[in-house]
Amino acid sequence: MSSSTSGVVNGGISFWYADDGLPAAVREPLAGDASADVVIVGGGYTGLWTAFYLKQAAPFLRITVLEQKFCGYGASGRNGGWLYNGVAGRGRYAKLHGHEAAVRLQRAMNDTVDEVIRAAGAEGIDADVHKGGVLEVARTPAQAARLKAFHEAELAFGEKDRELYGARETAERIRVADAVGSTWTPHGARLHPVKLVKGLAAAVERLGVTLHESTPVTEIRPRHAVTPYGTVRAPYVLRCTEGFTASLKGQRRTWLPMNSSMIATEPLTDAQWESVGWADRQTLGDMAHAYMYAQRTADGRIALGGRGVPYRFGSRTDNDGTTQAASVEALRAILVRFFPSLAGLRVEHAWSGVLGVPRDWCATVTLDRSTGLGWAGGYVGSGVATANLAARTLCDLVQQDSGQGGRTDLTGLPWVNHRVRRWEPEPLRWLGVQGMYAVYREADRRERTSHRAGSSRLARIADRVAGRS
């Protein structure tokens, strides 16, 4: 490991667990065959929110959650703490179902930011939430062109409270070097991911949901969730495994487990924060093709993420968040490019996690009424809020199917029951993903050096290959 990454705590799940502590005790694993009304596979945000809303709606339901490690071990405990209104696939849903259907999905996502904050507050969960919105910046002419197009698209999908800033107005909010403009939405908040997931797991238990940890599910089939310790039988089996879906029998090519890596700095001094600004604690992103995301943490650090090494051959996942030194170096380089005055700031923690990517990059919620199998995910990095909307939608679908409820606004959203083809077999998907992100990084490099206003043709080619356009 190079000198700039020496002394960095690498892995240990994530900085968020280093800050708040690993679970004091793991909940009991499944003790043998069992039955339930609903069994949920996966103890992250999607699974826990689904259990939360289902149990509130129908307290008599016997709900069991099965988690392979401990609740929040996956992306729910490793993400960037961006609670915001982005949803993967909105443009495709507009093409498939019409513009107004996509507007309804966007409005539901806008509302979801406030719903997470409301529900956390009602349950007494202090997750360091600060609703400062989301600021996304442009640092090159090509990025500025994409920023303007992005801003106009958001307005067209009904986000009338979004604002567009020039270089001076951007600097008044966060002093990002070379920023030529930005766009801001109020529909976003910073939070501490682990405090949220721990509090949510405790809230679900208080409602009477059964949580089994250290219980990996190896296979899901109609009315059965199979584990090494026994099988749970239930009329409804809901798969909420997101980036870990590929580990299930028959699911290797369903969603690709894309890696995202993060760093957390040492706490900044008052003088350093003065040089940076960031007083409103917005979450921060950019318009690069290989984009970054960051937040100002409650204890005064910068937590910053990006793709790092995007994919491991054979859909493998990492070991407890360990990330490669090259990814740490790349993220630190982004930090210094954005904030040159912080060049001497130490990086104290680095980690990685996986997120689920469908072949068409569209988040989905599905309940197959003929089998009782349901699933939600494919959030493509926007899962902190999207998982809550997906969970409420799954809840309504189960209620509707079981005769305890009818059609709702959520069950009529265009992402419900969307189907997509599987990813290519290896080595095609490894070659494709590695090549795609290599092209995106080269496109960003060319845009930084050429100062042309148009996006690089390389990025457009990568978008077509990836299925994102």
Side-chain angles (χ1 to χ4, degrees):
M1 187 172 287
S2 69
S3 59
S4 63
T5 57
S6 61
V8 176
V9 177
N10 192 334
I13 315 301
S14 70
F15 161 75
W16 311 115
Y17 277 111
D19 179 59
D20 197 62
L22 291 169
V26 176
R27 296 171 176 91
E28 289 295 317
L30 184 68
D33 291 346
S35 64
D37 297 311
V38 180
V39 59
I40 296 169
V41 181
Y45 291 147
T46 305
L48 293 173
W49 280 124
T50 301
F52 177 81
Y53 289 109
L54 263 176
K55 193 66 172 177
Q56 285 191 326
F60 55 86
L61 286 177
R62 296 174 302 137
I63 302 173
T64 296
V65 177
L66 304 175
E67 163 56 41
Q68 68 164 334
K69 295 276 190 172
F70 54 81
C71 291
Y73 173 81
S76 300
R78 310 189 198 188
N79 61 80
W82 271 46
L83 177 70
Y84 87 119
N85 67 338
V87 57
R90 185 189 62 188
R92 189 176 297 270
Y93 289 130
K95 292 177 182 177
L96 292 173
H97 302 279
H99 181 77
E100 285 307 310
V103 168
R104 287 190 289 109
L105 179 60
Q106 184 60 66
R107 286 175 178 160
M109 279 303 310
N110 296 349
D111 294 342
T112 295
V113 173
D114 292 324
E115 169 59 17
V116 172
I117 296 171
R118 181 207 67 79
E123 294 300 322
I125 302 170
D126 182 1
D128 297 339
V129 176
H130 181 87
K131 192 180 179 187
V134 182
L135 188 77
E136 293 171 277
V137 300
R139 301 178 62 247
T140 68
Q143 288 185 21
R146 288 198 295 276
L147 178 83
K148 187 173 185 294
F150 170 72
H151 178 82
E152 292 173 351
E154 298 306 293
L155 296 181
F157 281 102
E159 202 177 335
K160 302 305 182 187
D161 42 7
R162 178 175 284 273
E163 298 177 7
L164 184 67
Y165 304 137
R168 180 181 59 79
E169 294 169 302
T170 300
E172 289 172 354
R173 288 156 178 84
I174 306 178
R175 298 186 190 97
V176 174
D178 302 321
V180 295
S182 62
T183 180
W184 175 83
T185 176
H187 302 294
R190 173 214 71 192
L191 57 75
H192 190 300
V194 163
K195 290 181 179 180
L196 177 60
V197 77
K198 283 183 177 180
L200 184 55
V204 164
E205 277 193 313
R206 286 195 300 271
L207 288 171
V209 172
T210 300
L211 299 182
H212 289 299
E213 296 180 324
S214 298
T215 305
V217 172
T218 56
E219 182 183 3
I220 293 173
R221 56 178 188 262
R223 298 169 182 81
H224 295 76
V226 181
T227 85
Y229 308 114
T231 297
V232 182
R233 292 169 174 80
Y236 297 99
V237 182
L238 307 180
R239 190 187 81 221
C240 302
T241 48
E242 200 19 26
F244 290 87
T245 299
S247 64
L248 293 165
K249 183 178 180 180
Q251 303 294 335
R252 179 73 66 184
R253 293 164 54 198
T254 299
W255 289 335
L256 186 141
M258 188 80 75
N259 288 283
S260 197
S261 299
M262 292 199 70
I263 57 173
T265 70
E266 64 181 318
L268 278 66
T269 65
D270 290 344
Q272 287 171 323
W273 280 122
E274 179 62 28
S275 74
V276 168
W278 216 335
D280 292 336
R281 293 168 171 78
Q282 311 94 324
T283 56
L284 173 66
D286 76 346
M287 285 288 133
H289 300 293
Y291 53 85
M292 58 77 72
Y293 52 94
Q295 67 149 285
R296 175 175 174 171
T297 68
D299 64 346
R301 306 168 191 266
I302 294 176
L304 181 149
R307 280 294 173 261
V309 177
Y311 174 70
R312 290 178 169 85
F313 188 88
S315 293
R316 296 193 305 274
T317 55
D318 64 82
N319 181 27
D320 289 349
T322 302
T323 193
Q324 295 185 1
S327 298
V328 182
E329 296 276 14
L331 293 173
R332 177 174 173 74
I334 293 172
L335 175 71
V336 174
R337 280 203 301 271
F338 272 57
F339 306 112
S341 66
L342 303 181
L345 194 66
R346 286 186 298 111
V347 172
E348 290 194 343
H349 210 122
W351 70 100
S352 291
V354 295
L355 50 102
V357 179
R359 190 62 183 86
D360 64 355
W361 300 71
C362 292
T364 57
V365 183
T366 297
L367 180 66
D368 186 331
R369 303 186 69 175
S370 66
T371 63
L373 296 177
W375 57 88
Y379 306 134
V380 194
S382 302
V384 180
T386 314
N388 177 276
L389 179 60
R392 287 184 284 129
T393 305
L394 268 181
C395 172
D396 286 1
L397 289 169
V398 170
Q399 292 277 93
Q400 180 183 14
D401 185 71
S402 61
Q404 298 164 27
R407 180 181 172 87
T408 68
D409 289 342
L410 299 187
T411 62
L413 291 175
W415 68 341
V416 172
N417 294 330
H418 175 75
R419 301 299 179 105
V420 62
R421 69 183 176 90
R422 290 153 63 86
W423 282 88
E424 291 79 3
E426 295 291 21
L428 294 179
R429 66 178 181 272
W430 184 88
L431 291 169
V433 175
Q434 297 297 326
M436 176 182 69
Y437 274 99
V439 170
Y440 282 142
R441 287 191 290 269
E442 175 62 17
D444 286 329
R445 188 195 66 79
R446 291 188 182 187
E447 289 177 2
R448 285 197 302 269
T449 57
S450 71
H451 302 294
R452 293 177 181 171
S455 292
S456 168
R457 288 183 58 209
L458 288 174
R460 294 195 293 272
I461 293 169
D463 282 344
R464 287 196 294 272
V465 171
R468 301 173 75 172
S469 61

